[in-house]
């Protein structure tokens, strides 16, 4: 009976380690190449003033503060992240409080004092819907 208990415990912890490693791994960022076209600016860079891009006020962003309709203003740009939320690696309770808000500092620090990964910076522009109007 003791051998069965030890074997089951070892299998359990091995499975926990596999799930933990799979949950925290992120694909490596592609290495810069001289032959590739110019890379877009990182998402954390201030939003460039593009006159053709749709502009939103913070009040408009605030109207999209639910899990099904989640906009965030990050570093001068506005992102519709509702489609991405189910794929976000952290618990929804970490991200949802920032829906409908200016979330630059939360994005830069993950509220833990550490930045998002380069992969996250590359993914963020695909959810960009416009720029934030200054009050």
């Amino acid at each position: 009976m003791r051998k069965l208990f030890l074997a089951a415990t070892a299998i359990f912890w091995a499975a926990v380690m596999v799930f933990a490693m799979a949950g925290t791994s992120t694909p490596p960022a592609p290495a810069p190449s001289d032959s590739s076209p110019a890379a877009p600016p990182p998402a954390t860079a201030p939003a460039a003033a593009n006159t053709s891009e749709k502009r939103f006020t913070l009040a408009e962003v605030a109207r999209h503060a639910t899990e099904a309709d989640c906009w965030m203003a990050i570093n001068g740009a506005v992102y519709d992240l509702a489609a991405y939320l189910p794929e976000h690696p952290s618990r929804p309770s970490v991200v949802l409080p920032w829906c409908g808000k200016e979330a630059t500092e939360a994005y830069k620090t993950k509220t833990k004092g550490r930045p998002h990964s380069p992969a996250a910076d590359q993914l963020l522009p695909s959810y960009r819907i416009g720029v934030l109007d200054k009050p």
Side-chain angles (χ1 to χ4, degrees):
M1 185 72 172
R2 182 167 172 83
K3 287 181 181 177
L4 178 62
F5 172 75
L6 292 174
T9 302
I11 291 170
F12 170 78
W13 284 111
V16 168
M17 290 178 63
V18 167
F19 286 121
M21 290 173 30
T24 59
S25 67
T26 56
S33 171
D34 291 337
S35 63
S36 66
T44 56
N50 182 347
T51 56
S52 66
E53 202 166 13
K54 189 156 173 80
R55 304 184 76 80
F56 300 98
T57 64
L58 200 50
E60 291 172 307
V61 173
R63 286 185 227 132
H64 304 271
T66 66
E67 185 172 358
D69 185 17
C70 177
W71 291 12
M72 290 184 202
I74 300 172
N75 215 11
V78 178
Y79 300 91
D80 181 354
L81 297 168
Y84 177 68
L85 289 181
E87 299 175 31
H88 192 275
S90 70
R91 300 178 315 274
S93 63
V94 173
V95 181
L96 290 177
W98 296 102
C99 292
K101 295 181 181 167
E102 161 48 56
T104 300
E105 193 62 29
Y107 183 80
K108 287 181 178 176
T109 65
K110 294 168 68 173
T111 66
K112 297 176 183 172
R114 59 179 193 240
H116 274 82
S117 68
D121 290 341
Q122 291 177 346
L123 185 62
L124 191 58
S126 62
Y127 295 97
R128 184 174 171 146
I129 59 172
V131 295
L132 184 65
D133 258 343
K134 300 289 180 197

